[in-house]
Each structure stands twice: as C-alpha cells, then as structure tokens.
Amino acid sequence: AQKITQTQPGMFVQEKEAVTLDCTYDTSDQSYGLFWYKQPSSGEMIFLIYQGSYDEQNATEGRYSLNFQKARKSANLVISASQLGDSAMYFCAMRERGFQKLVFGTGTRLLVSP
Amino acid sequence: DAMVIQNPRYQVTQFGKPVTLSCSQTLNHNVMYWYQQKSSQAPKLLFHYYDKDFNNEADTPDNFQSRRPNTSFCFLDIRSPGLGDAAMYLCATSTLTSGPEETQYFGPGTRLLVL
C-alpha cells in the first residue's frame, strides 16, 4: 500500500527567504510519479511540480524545486524567495503506475510573513 | 486557455434533497476524477472515468453516483445528501500515460453545504 507522509503541519517563513516542505513516501512500485500541489484558501488545487521515479535530475519549475532522494524515499519541495502569495496549504501526492489514483499527504500549511 | 471548470462554485442543499455538481474540461483528457475534501483533510478519490469506463473506489458510499455523457463533461450526483457530505468537491482530469503528462489538473472546486 502507498503512503505519503508530511510531518510538518505548519511552517513559517519570512518573505524572500527559502523554505523546504518535507515529504516522504512508501511504495513497493518501481515506477511512480510524485507531485506537489498548492491549495490557497479559495480551495483550488494548483499543480506545482512533478518528479518521475526514473528521473535522474531534480525537477525545477521557476521558484519551485523538488529535492528527490529516491533511496530515502523523500521528495521535499523547496520554495526559493518566498512571496506573500505563497501562503497556502501544500500537498505532496503520489500516483501508482497502472492505477489512476493520486494518494495525498495530510498537507503542510505555509505562512509567509512580511 | 485550456482548463477545468466546475459549476456551481458554492451549492447549498437541504438534507436528503438530491444535488448535482458539474465539471467540464477543454483539455481533451480521457480521464476525469471526482474527489471529496473535508475541512483540514486531504482530498479523497470517490471515482474516476477512463473514457466511458467508470471506476468506483471501494469505500465510496452508494449515495454518490457519477455520469460522463461525453469527453468534456462529468457530473457528480448525491442522491440523498447528509450533513456529513458537506465538503469541497474537486474535479480533476488527466491523460492515461506516464511521465509529466500524467499530471492531474484540478478545477476550482464546488463547496457543498447541507442544511
């Protein structure tokens, strides 16, 4: 069975600083996809970044990067130069290959202060 | 812009009164999903369609049904809403592939309130 663990219920960061949101996963599959989504208070789930299990390079998308450590089964999200608009809930998720299901972690609430 | 649209954004219904939530997409994705998200929880998959093939999660109550009349539209029907069904309902779409293209894209969600 899959499991996604996000151990930080809440994180605080000052504007313009970098922040790392932790995510560990557990799967017996060799082939899987990892995702990070942002959910502001409006409720929409916004896709941020994707990492495939066979990707050798860490994924990057603008200010977002994914620190993928396959042996440790971790997929931490790094947000550089935090902005006030980054304040939101962040979910880590994984998809089993051969299944359509996304399994989500419990989320981390990020608050960016001026 | 290609997108996933959900209507209405807010829905108030009465206990036991059937309600239908709608989702449409312009991404031409062959997979559509319905998730339920209760307050301060992660989204939970209710079911999904791969083209016209319906796939129900084992723990989805019978009270929840879905229809997909064509590629673009998918509906969530709650036959007799209970107070415990108050939640955000999220629709998502994806292609059936692996790699970055398997990303699920979500609509803005419908907040359901049951009185």
Side-chain angles (χ1 to χ4, degrees):
Chain A
Q2 286 188 130
K3 186 178 178 183
I4 300 286
T5 302
Q6 295 181 253
T7 57
Q8 306 154 315
M11 288 285 286
F12 294 90
V13 66
Q14 277 201 315
E15 203 176 3
K16 299 181 185 176
E17 291 187 349
V19 63
T20 298
L21 306 184
D22 294 340
C23 173
T24 58
Y25 59 93
D26 184 22
T27 181
S28 55
D29 289 346
Q30 296 300 310
S31 179
Y32 49 87
L34 296 160
F35 306 82
W36 277 92
Y37 287 88
K38 171 185 177 182
Q39 188 174 42
S41 56
S42 61
E44 183 174 4
M45 293 287 280
I46 301 167
F47 166 69
L48 295 178
I49 197 166
Y50 164 86
Q51 180 84 42
S53 58
Y54 293 123
D55 294 342
E56 295 183 353
Q57 303 268 4
N58 286 342
T60 61
E61 289 287 349
R63 295 187 297 111
Y64 305 107
S65 61
L66 199 151
N67 184 0
F68 181 47
Q69 298 189 40
K70 193 171 181 177
R72 293 186 176 184
K73 292 188 175 178
S74 75
N76 298 338
L77 177 70
V78 181
I79 305 174
S80 63
S82 298
Q83 301 172 357
L84 296 178
D86 294 335
S87 293
M89 185 72 107
Y90 288 80
F91 287 98
C92 179
M94 178 167 63
R95 182 202 150 180
E96 292 178 297
R97 292 294 150 85
F99 296 91
Q100 294 301 322
K101 187 174 183 175
L102 263 186
V103 177
F104 288 86
T106 50
T108 296
R109 186 169 296 281
L110 177 67
L111 182 60
V112 181
S113 59
Chain B
D1 288 341
M3 59 178 61
V4 182
I5 301 162
Q6 289 188 246
N7 286 305
R9 295 292 308 275
Y10 299 90
Q11 176 74 56
V12 180
T13 190
Q14 290 180 331
F15 182 93
K17 185 174 181 181
V19 66
T20 295
L21 310 182
S22 73
C23 176
S24 64
Q25 55 130 341
T26 60
L27 297 162
N28 203 32
H29 285 168
N30 50 9
V31 191
M32 294 187 76
Y33 311 78
W34 280 104
Y35 289 86
Q36 179 192 63
Q37 186 181 23
K38 296 188 176 179
S39 181
S40 301
Q41 295 184 18
K44 178 179 176 297
L45 182 65
L46 295 173
F47 26 59
H48 73 273
Y49 273 95
Y50 169 42
D51 290 331
K52 286 193 175 293
D53 292 336
F54 177 71
N55 297 271
N56 199 27
E57 291 297 299
D59 56 355
T60 298
D62 293 340
N63 197 27
F64 292 87
Q65 304 286 322
S66 185
R67 296 169 283 135
R68 189 179 185 186
N70 54 52
T71 300
S72 300
F73 285 86
C74 195
F75 300 98
L76 169 62
D77 300 310
I78 309 176
R79 293 192 296 187
S80 181
L83 298 178
D85 297 327
M88 172 73 94
Y89 290 88
L90 295 162
C91 174
T93 74
S94 76
T95 59
L96 182 64
T97 182
S98 60
E101 297 80 15
E102 67 178 310
T103 298
Q104 294 188 19
Y105 293 95
F106 286 79
T110 295
R111 287 191 191 272
L112 178 68
L113 180 62
V114 182
L115 300 178

